[in-house]
Amino acid sequence: MRERAVQRHDRLLALVRQRGSARVTDLADQLGVSPVTVRRDVEALAGKGLLDRVHGAVSWPRERGVRGRAPIGEGRVLGLLAPSATYYFADVIRGAHEAAARAGARLVLRISDYRPEEDPARAEGLLAAGAEGLLVAPGWRGPGDPVEHGGWVAELPVPVVLLERNAPPGGPLAGLDRVCSDHGHGVLLALRHLTEQGHGAPLLVARADSPTALAVREGYAAALRALDVPGPRPVIDSVPAETDPAGFERAVRELHAAVASGEATAALVHNDVDAIQMVQRLAELGVRVPDDLALVAYDDEVAALADTPLTAVAPPKREVGRQAARLLVERLREQGDGGEGADTGAGGVAVGGDSHRAEGGGAVGEPAPRRHLALLPALRVRASCGAGRSDGGAGGSAGGSAAGGGAADGGAGADGA
């Protein structure tokens, strides 16, 4: 796949930031492009004030200092690294932007397209753009990605807040601030609603290609235990219909067989795009929703727009962005109050504030404890479970918020996180 200019710019900035200065010819060799391309990139970046040009070489702008601070007198700059600017993260980004604007800060965005190996370069690009602190949602997909592609986050030289990402206990990221949706609670809301309607253990049809998908799967087993409901057959693996039609059809057929045999009368489907397509395909096979199958989607991006509006779990995405940005601004203010020695970045600060802030080598007190905020999803009850209104409204919702007042927005929720 051909590298885009913004990706090359991020790599170029990362190289110069690490070295302090570099010759254009050396950069061309490192980046694997022609000197002409590098000169054109350098001109563009220098025009934005991100690099200084000196006689065939480039250097890191002196006025930005080692941490990429914006010039004195300007508002703070917050960086946001997200795997996508659409679907799930569109609302997260909106919420962060709103909170940053209210605080008089500017938000700068980089997108990784779910390529976690490129996240460090994206973060370097944000620092180069003047970001004083970062909101980071790494482009992780599989369960091993936090270990394989997460260590760099703990080494960032600025305050960091993780977005919609949990960290392995005891790992280098466990002591970072983070703000997440409690997907386990969202799954519990869905399964409780279905069982209260008289259904036996609902099936789970889910992807396994994002942290949200993995959290939904983990929450499913925990919810069955909490409700004291015997587990049905294993999770039905789903995949996007547009990228793997055969795999998607297998999932539909497996769900159809469970309904036709009487094994299941209810299901939770992650996400609601998949759920809408499954409802349409099931109808072609003779299974009607909600008459033959009560269905809840996990997402609520487009669930209300289905022919039969889908009951859906709605994670509070926009509030996640708001709370994370507010927390990052608070950390930056703490850092400013404590002076340059009060580094509230990732470097070894433990949960609970076990380290002392030092200025000029002296202890001046303890920093505020790190926070792990879990915001609760809501359940939007509509027609697909046989117990809701068909107008797709949010009136029949259950759930709420925790840790910072994260009320669930209407229209929130997603997969792809």
Side-chain angles (χ1 to χ4, degrees), residues 12-203:
L12 190 157
L13 289 168
L15 287 170
V16 177
R17 183 173 181 273
Q18 291 167 3
R19 300 176 181 181
S21 64
R23 294 182 59 82
V24 169
T25 53
D26 293 339
L27 290 172
D29 291 339
Q30 289 288 321
L31 297 172
V33 297
S34 69
V36 172
T37 297
V38 172
R39 291 190 187 96
R40 185 167 57 244
D41 291 344
V42 165
E43 289 178 3
L45 294 170
K48 297 177 181 179
L50 301 179
L51 291 176
D52 289 338
R53 290 179 293 175
V54 184
H55 304 303
V58 293
S59 63
W60 196 251
R62 294 179 182 178
E63 65 269 21
R64 288 195 184 276
V66 297
R67 292 195 177 180
R69 292 188 181 277
I72 295 174
E74 295 183 5
R76 293 195 181 277
V77 179
L78 310 183
L80 171 55
L81 174 64
S84 171
T86 61
Y87 206 60
Y88 194 103
F89 276 95
D91 263 353
V92 175
I93 293 167
R94 290 188 190 101
H97 179 264
E98 292 166 0
R102 291 191 186 103
R106 183 167 68 92
L107 190 69
V108 181
L109 178 66
R110 285 289 193 281
I111 304 300
S112 72
D113 292 327
Y114 286 96
R115 291 194 286 267
E117 67 279 1
E118 297 181 3
D119 283 341
R122 299 287 175 278
E124 290 286 356
L126 289 168
L127 295 175
E132 302 171 61
L134 297 182
L135 304 169
V136 178
W140 300 335
R141 286 184 176 272
D145 282 349
V147 173
E148 184 177 357
H149 299 291
W152 65 272
V153 182
E155 299 174 358
L156 288 167
V158 297
V160 175
V161 178
L162 285 176
L163 276 174
E164 289 291 29
R165 297 291 185 261
N166 286 309
L173 307 187
L176 293 178
D177 289 311
R178 67 176 182 245
V179 182
C180 304
S181 298
D182 187 340
H183 297 301
H185 181 78
V187 174
L188 179 62
L189 289 178
L191 268 57
R192 177 187 290 149
H193 178 73
L194 290 169
T195 56
E196 286 178 349
Q197 297 300 313
H199 298 281
L203 293 174

